[in-house]
mmCIF file of all heavy atoms in Angstrom:
data_model
loop_
_atom_site.group_PDB
_atom_site.id
_atom_site.type_symbol
_atom_site.label_atom_id
_atom_site.label_comp_id
_atom_site.label_asym_id
_atom_site.label_seq_id
_atom_site.Cartn_x
_atom_site.Cartn_y
_atom_site.Cartn_z
ATOM 1 N N PRO A 190 -11.269 -23.510 4.693
ATOM 2 C CA PRO A 190 -10.329 -23.541 3.566
ATOM 3 C C PRO A 190 -10.796 -24.614 2.572
ATOM 4 O O PRO A 190 -10.982 -25.764 2.946
ATOM 5 C CB PRO A 190 -8.994 -23.924 4.217
ATOM 6 C CG PRO A 190 -9.198 -23.704 5.693
ATOM 7 C CD PRO A 190 -10.646 -23.923 5.946
ATOM 8 N N VAL A 191 -11.035 -24.220 1.332
ATOM 9 C CA VAL A 191 -11.591 -25.141 0.340
ATOM 10 C C VAL A 191 -10.492 -25.710 -0.548
ATOM 11 O O VAL A 191 -10.512 -26.893 -0.885
ATOM 12 C CB VAL A 191 -12.660 -24.411 -0.523
ATOM 13 C CG1 VAL A 191 -13.092 -25.251 -1.713
ATOM 14 C CG2 VAL A 191 -13.860 -24.030 0.338
ATOM 15 N N ALA A 192 -9.543 -24.896 -0.943
ATOM 16 C CA ALA A 192 -8.463 -25.367 -1.817
ATOM 17 C C ALA A 192 -7.278 -24.418 -1.752
ATOM 18 O O ALA A 192 -7.439 -23.214 -1.472
ATOM 19 C CB ALA A 192 -8.946 -25.458 -3.264
ATOM 20 N N THR A 193 -6.107 -24.996 -1.980
ATOM 21 C CA THR A 193 -4.917 -24.155 -2.199
ATOM 22 C C THR A 193 -4.158 -24.795 -3.360
ATOM 23 O O THR A 193 -4.149 -26.022 -3.480
ATOM 24 C CB THR A 193 -3.959 -24.120 -0.986
ATOM 25 O OG1 THR A 193 -3.313 -25.377 -0.865
ATOM 26 C CG2 THR A 193 -4.654 -23.793 0.310
ATOM 27 N N PHE A 194 -3.566 -23.993 -4.209
ATOM 28 C CA PHE A 194 -2.654 -24.544 -5.212
ATOM 29 C C PHE A 194 -1.613 -23.500 -5.584
ATOM 30 O O PHE A 194 -1.858 -22.288 -5.510
ATOM 31 C CB PHE A 194 -3.414 -25.070 -6.449
ATOM 32 C CG PHE A 194 -4.141 -24.019 -7.253
ATOM 33 C CD1 PHE A 194 -3.516 -23.365 -8.308
ATOM 34 C CD2 PHE A 194 -5.463 -23.689 -6.961
ATOM 35 C CE1 PHE A 194 -4.187 -22.412 -9.052
ATOM 36 C CE2 PHE A 194 -6.137 -22.732 -7.703
ATOM 37 C CZ PHE A 194 -5.503 -22.092 -8.756
ATOM 38 N N ILE A 195 -0.459 -24.015 -5.984
ATOM 39 C CA ILE A 195 0.682 -23.151 -6.309
ATOM 40 C C ILE A 195 0.595 -22.721 -7.768
ATOM 41 O O ILE A 195 0.346 -23.552 -8.652
ATOM 42 C CB ILE A 195 1.992 -23.921 -6.045
ATOM 43 C CG1 ILE A 195 2.116 -24.203 -4.535
ATOM 44 C CG2 ILE A 195 3.205 -23.146 -6.560
ATOM 45 C CD1 ILE A 195 3.290 -25.108 -4.183
ATOM 46 N N LEU A 196 0.796 -21.460 -8.032
ATOM 47 C CA LEU A 196 0.802 -20.988 -9.417
ATOM 48 C C LEU A 196 2.042 -21.531 -10.136
ATOM 49 O O LEU A 196 3.153 -21.441 -9.597
ATOM 50 C CB LEU A 196 0.828 -19.453 -9.487
ATOM 51 C CG LEU A 196 -0.533 -18.765 -9.431
ATOM 52 C CD1 LEU A 196 -1.237 -18.988 -8.108
ATOM 53 C CD2 LEU A 196 -0.393 -17.279 -9.715
ATOM 54 N N PRO A 197 1.861 -22.083 -11.341
ATOM 55 C CA PRO A 197 3.015 -22.603 -12.074
ATOM 56 C C PRO A 197 4.019 -21.495 -12.410
ATOM 57 O O PRO A 197 3.660 -20.313 -12.471
ATOM 58 C CB PRO A 197 2.405 -23.159 -13.366
ATOM 59 C CG PRO A 197 0.942 -23.164 -13.185
ATOM 60 C CD PRO A 197 0.590 -22.251 -12.058
ATOM 61 N N GLU A 198 5.237 -21.929 -12.646
ATOM 62 C CA GLU A 198 6.345 -20.999 -12.889
ATOM 63 C C GLU A 198 6.085 -20.035 -14.057
ATOM 64 O O GLU A 198 6.476 -18.875 -14.000
ATOM 65 C CB GLU A 198 7.569 -21.868 -13.195
ATOM 66 C CG GLU A 198 8.864 -21.240 -12.863
ATOM 67 C CD GLU A 198 9.989 -22.238 -13.142
ATOM 68 O OE1 GLU A 198 9.933 -23.373 -12.626
ATOM 69 O OE2 GLU A 198 10.911 -21.862 -13.886
ATOM 70 N N TYR A 199 5.421 -20.515 -15.123
ATOM 71 C CA TYR A 199 5.224 -19.643 -16.286
ATOM 72 C C TYR A 199 4.392 -18.407 -15.942
ATOM 73 O O TYR A 199 4.457 -17.394 -16.632
ATOM 74 C CB TYR A 199 4.598 -20.413 -17.477
ATOM 75 C CG TYR A 199 3.122 -20.696 -17.331
ATOM 76 C CD1 TYR A 199 2.171 -19.754 -17.722
ATOM 77 C CD2 TYR A 199 2.671 -21.900 -16.798
ATOM 78 C CE1 TYR A 199 0.812 -20.004 -17.577
ATOM 79 C CE2 TYR A 199 1.323 -22.163 -16.655
ATOM 80 C CZ TYR A 199 0.391 -21.211 -17.040
ATOM 81 O OH TYR A 199 -0.946 -21.450 -16.878
ATOM 82 N N CYS A 200 3.604 -18.489 -14.864
ATOM 83 C CA CYS A 200 2.816 -17.315 -14.441
ATOM 84 C C CYS A 200 3.741 -16.160 -14.051
ATOM 85 O O CYS A 200 3.379 -14.990 -14.168
ATOM 86 C CB CYS A 200 1.923 -17.665 -13.254
ATOM 87 S SG CYS A 200 0.642 -18.830 -13.676
ATOM 88 N N TRP A 201 4.921 -16.502 -13.550
ATOM 89 C CA TRP A 201 5.922 -15.478 -13.197
ATOM 90 C C TRP A 201 6.778 -15.116 -14.415
ATOM 91 O O TRP A 201 6.975 -13.934 -14.690
ATOM 92 C CB TRP A 201 6.881 -16.023 -12.120
ATOM 93 C CG TRP A 201 6.301 -16.183 -10.765
ATOM 94 C CD1 TRP A 201 5.489 -17.194 -10.351
ATOM 95 C CD2 TRP A 201 6.479 -15.313 -9.648
ATOM 96 N NE1 TRP A 201 5.170 -17.012 -9.024
ATOM 97 C CE2 TRP A 201 5.763 -15.877 -8.573
ATOM 98 C CE3 TRP A 201 7.193 -14.128 -9.438
ATOM 99 C CZ2 TRP A 201 5.728 -15.284 -7.314
ATOM 100 C CZ3 TRP A 201 7.161 -13.537 -8.189
ATOM 101 C CH2 TRP A 201 6.434 -14.104 -7.139
ATOM 102 N N THR A 202 7.294 -16.147 -15.078
ATOM 103 C CA THR A 202 8.296 -15.896 -16.115
ATOM 104 C C THR A 202 7.641 -15.349 -17.388
ATOM 105 O O THR A 202 7.740 -14.164 -17.679
ATOM 106 C CB THR A 202 9.089 -17.182 -16.389
ATOM 107 O OG1 THR A 202 8.148 -18.233 -16.601
ATOM 108 C CG2 THR A 202 9.968 -17.547 -15.211
ATOM 109 N N GLU A 203 6.916 -16.218 -18.114
ATOM 110 C CA GLU A 203 6.327 -15.781 -19.396
ATOM 111 C C GLU A 203 5.274 -14.688 -19.232
ATOM 112 O O GLU A 203 5.180 -13.791 -20.050
ATOM 113 C CB GLU A 203 5.620 -16.960 -20.078
ATOM 114 C CG GLU A 203 6.551 -17.909 -20.765
ATOM 115 C CD GLU A 203 5.834 -19.217 -21.050
ATOM 116 O OE1 GLU A 203 4.729 -19.186 -21.613
ATOM 117 O OE2 GLU A 203 6.383 -20.261 -20.669
ATOM 118 N N ASN A 204 4.444 -14.809 -18.173
ATOM 119 C CA ASN A 204 3.295 -13.898 -18.080
ATOM 120 C C ASN A 204 3.576 -12.616 -17.310
ATOM 121 O O ASN A 204 2.802 -11.671 -17.385
ATOM 122 C CB ASN A 204 2.108 -14.606 -17.409
ATOM 123 C CG ASN A 204 1.533 -15.684 -18.290
ATOM 124 O OD1 ASN A 204 2.103 -15.998 -19.330
ATOM 125 N ND2 ASN A 204 0.424 -16.236 -17.889
ATOM 126 N N TYR A 205 4.645 -12.600 -16.542
ATOM 127 C CA TYR A 205 4.910 -11.396 -15.749
ATOM 128 C C TYR A 205 6.274 -10.776 -16.070
ATOM 129 O O TYR A 205 6.343 -9.662 -16.596
ATOM 130 C CB TYR A 205 4.777 -11.718 -14.259
ATOM 131 C CG TYR A 205 4.945 -10.513 -13.369
ATOM 132 C CD1 TYR A 205 4.149 -9.380 -13.533
ATOM 133 C CD2 TYR A 205 5.917 -10.495 -12.373
ATOM 134 C CE1 TYR A 205 4.326 -8.264 -12.728
ATOM 135 C CE2 TYR A 205 6.078 -9.380 -11.556
ATOM 136 C CZ TYR A 205 5.288 -8.275 -11.746
ATOM 137 O OH TYR A 205 5.458 -7.170 -10.955
ATOM 138 N N PHE A 206 7.353 -11.510 -15.854
ATOM 139 C CA PHE A 206 8.677 -10.916 -16.067
ATOM 140 C C PHE A 206 8.934 -10.580 -17.538
ATOM 141 O O PHE A 206 9.481 -9.518 -17.833
ATOM 142 C CB PHE A 206 9.778 -11.839 -15.537
ATOM 143 C CG PHE A 206 9.782 -11.975 -14.033
ATOM 144 C CD1 PHE A 206 9.984 -13.208 -13.421
ATOM 145 C CD2 PHE A 206 9.578 -10.865 -13.219
ATOM 146 C CE1 PHE A 206 9.987 -13.329 -12.036
ATOM 147 C CE2 PHE A 206 9.577 -10.978 -11.828
ATOM 148 C CZ PHE A 206 9.776 -12.223 -11.238
ATOM 149 N N THR A 207 8.551 -11.479 -18.452
ATOM 150 C CA THR A 207 8.861 -11.224 -19.873
ATOM 151 C C THR A 207 8.165 -9.958 -20.394
ATOM 152 O O THR A 207 8.831 -9.098 -20.992
ATOM 153 C CB THR A 207 8.537 -12.472 -20.728
ATOM 154 O OG1 THR A 207 9.301 -13.554 -20.204
ATOM 155 C CG2 THR A 207 8.876 -12.274 -22.191
ATOM 156 N N PRO A 208 6.842 -9.783 -20.182
ATOM 157 C CA PRO A 208 6.214 -8.531 -20.658
ATOM 158 C C PRO A 208 6.819 -7.271 -20.021
ATOM 159 O O PRO A 208 6.786 -6.199 -20.615
ATOM 160 C CB PRO A 208 4.745 -8.682 -20.251
ATOM 161 C CG PRO A 208 4.544 -10.141 -20.057
ATOM 162 C CD PRO A 208 5.849 -10.705 -19.616
ATOM 163 N N LEU A 209 7.392 -7.420 -18.831
ATOM 164 C CA LEU A 209 7.999 -6.248 -18.181
ATOM 165 C C LEU A 209 9.212 -5.745 -18.965
ATOM 166 O O LEU A 209 9.526 -4.555 -18.935
ATOM 167 C CB LEU A 209 8.438 -6.574 -16.747
ATOM 168 C CG LEU A 209 7.337 -6.832 -15.721
ATOM 169 C CD1 LEU A 209 7.948 -6.983 -14.328
ATOM 170 C CD2 LEU A 209 6.317 -5.697 -15.700
ATOM 171 N N VAL A 210 9.865 -6.642 -19.684
ATOM 172 C CA VAL A 210 11.067 -6.238 -20.438
ATOM 173 C C VAL A 210 10.672 -5.177 -21.470
ATOM 174 O O VAL A 210 11.304 -4.119 -21.577
ATOM 175 C CB VAL A 210 11.720 -7.466 -21.135
ATOM 176 C CG1 VAL A 210 12.869 -7.036 -22.027
ATOM 177 C CG2 VAL A 210 12.175 -8.483 -20.088
ATOM 178 N N LYS A 211 9.564 -5.428 -22.194
ATOM 179 C CA LYS A 211 9.123 -4.487 -23.211
ATOM 180 C C LYS A 211 8.649 -3.168 -22.577
ATOM 181 O O LYS A 211 8.976 -2.074 -23.047
ATOM 182 C CB LYS A 211 7.988 -5.123 -24.032
ATOM 183 C CG LYS A 211 7.630 -4.339 -25.235
ATOM 184 C CD LYS A 211 7.059 -5.218 -26.365
ATOM 185 C CE LYS A 211 6.358 -4.339 -27.373
ATOM 186 N NZ LYS A 211 4.912 -4.187 -27.067
ATOM 187 N N ALA A 212 7.921 -3.308 -21.481
ATOM 188 C CA ALA A 212 7.434 -2.103 -20.786
ATOM 189 C C ALA A 212 8.618 -1.254 -20.310
ATOM 190 O O ALA A 212 8.575 -0.019 -20.360
ATOM 191 C CB ALA A 212 6.552 -2.509 -19.613
ATOM 192 N N ARG A 213 9.694 -1.916 -19.897
ATOM 193 C CA ARG A 213 10.875 -1.178 -19.430
ATOM 194 C C ARG A 213 11.554 -0.448 -20.584
ATOM 195 O O ARG A 213 12.039 0.668 -20.411
ATOM 196 C CB ARG A 213 11.872 -2.145 -18.764
ATOM 197 C CG ARG A 213 11.456 -2.541 -17.379
ATOM 198 C CD ARG A 213 12.621 -3.067 -16.576
ATOM 199 N NE ARG A 213 13.109 -4.341 -17.032
ATOM 200 C CZ ARG A 213 12.716 -5.522 -16.541
ATOM 201 N NH1 ARG A 213 11.823 -5.574 -15.588
ATOM 202 N NH2 ARG A 213 13.226 -6.641 -16.997
ATOM 203 N N GLU A 214 11.573 -1.091 -21.759
ATOM 204 C CA GLU A 214 12.190 -0.443 -22.920
ATOM 205 C C GLU A 214 11.451 0.859 -23.242
ATOM 206 O O GLU A 214 12.062 1.914 -23.423
ATOM 207 C CB GLU A 214 12.124 -1.368 -24.138
ATOM 208 C CG GLU A 214 13.243 -2.392 -24.175
ATOM 209 C CD GLU A 214 12.963 -3.501 -25.196
ATOM 210 O OE1 GLU A 214 12.131 -3.280 -26.124
ATOM 211 O OE2 GLU A 214 13.549 -4.561 -25.038
#
Side-chain angles (χ1 to χ4, degrees):
V191 170
T193 71
F194 65 91
I195 294 173
L196 273 64
E198 207 177 307
Y199 76 86
C200 293
W201 289 78
T202 50
E203 282 164 50
N204 291 8
Y205 184 56
F206 292 138
T207 302
L209 291 186
V210 174
K211 190 152 164 268
R213 283 200 291 266
E214 277 166 20

